[in-house]
């Protein structure tokens, strides 16, 4: 089975996708990290639409053969990756890589356009949501900083990710909406595992 998890910035997609993949023994593919690696390539003066990006077990990311995973959480890449992601040449390049990675595999892939564009055939699509205020509070707990500034940055990214011409952030028509506001990561994981079971039963029957 292929599982697509989409949603806005800081909704908990990476945490859920990683844990779900571990529980199921599937490959975890964080596509946000791939856009972050493309942004890092650009910052290093390399063309992001041709960057050699690879995904390894546990969602580790290689850029031109170098493991850059630890560098990708840099808050400066939040904004730059969202800008790079507007470029259709970058999207074509990364979407092709993402489809190649998923071909013939059981994957949990998270991002913005997985259910709509990358894997429209995914058997389970989850659109993860939380209010901007809740997402800002989560980021504050993870990284520290100023709540108002974090909230403003999240709103800016939501706006850019949702209104871009190419593959804007939106739920696939057949996605299950999962509101995580006020729910712990464990509760969200449990709900996702129930959805997997329901889907498996339906596919088997
Ligand atoms: O999930 P994230 O915050 O790490 O993603 C970084 C940026 O990459 C995000 O602002 C939008 C972009 N992105 C995208 O356009 N499509 C994806 N499938 C994943 C991320």
């Amino acid at each position: 089975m292929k599982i697509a998890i989409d949603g806005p910035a800081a909704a908990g997609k990476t945490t859920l996708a990683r844990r779900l993949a571990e529980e199921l023994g599937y490959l975890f593919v964080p596509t946000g990290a791939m856009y972050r690696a493309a942004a890092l390539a650009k910052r290093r003066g390399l063309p992001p639409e041709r960057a050699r990006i690879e995904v390894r077990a546990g969602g580790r990311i290689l850029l031109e053969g170098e493991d850059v995973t630890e560098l990708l959480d840099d808050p400066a890449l939040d904004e730059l990756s969202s800008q790079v992601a507007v470029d259709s040449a970058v999207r074509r390049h990364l979407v092709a890589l993402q489809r190649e990675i998923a071909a013939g595999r059981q994957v949990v892939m998270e991002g913005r356009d997985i259910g709509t564009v990358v894997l429209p055939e995914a058997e389970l699509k989850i659109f993860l949501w939380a209010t901007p205020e809740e997402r800002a509070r989560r980021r504050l707990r993870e990284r520290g900083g100023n709540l108002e500034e974090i909230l403003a940055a999240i709103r800016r990214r939501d706006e850019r990710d949702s209104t871009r011409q190419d593959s804007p952030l939106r739920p696939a028509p057949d996605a299950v909406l999962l509101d995580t506001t006020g729910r712990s990561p464990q509760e969200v994981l449990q709900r996702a595992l129930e959805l997997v079971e329901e889907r498996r039963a339906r596919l088997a029957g």
Side-chain angles (χ1 to χ4, degrees), residues 6 9-10 13-14 31-33 35-36 77-78 81-82 85 91 98 110-114 139 157 161 164:
D6 292 298
K13 298 184 299 293
T14 304
T31 68
Y35 283 89
R36 287 168 182 273
L77 291 179
D78 290 357
S81 59
S82 171
R91 300 204 72 82
Q98 289 153 9
E110 62 90 3
R112 302 291 189 290
D113 60 342
I114 310 308
R139 270 288 138 89
R157 250 188 340 133
D161 295 348
R164 67 175 176 235

Side-chain angles (χ1 to χ4, degrees), residues 78-107:
D78 290 357
E79 186 67 19
L80 192 56
S81 59
S82 171
Q83 289 169 11
V84 161
V86 171
D87 183 334
S88 291
V90 173
R91 300 204 72 82
R92 266 197 306 278
H93 175 54
L94 292 188
V95 168
L97 281 177
Q98 289 153 9
R99 288 184 179 148
E100 219 171 89
I101 292 168
R105 286 209 182 94
Q106 317 228 65
V107 294

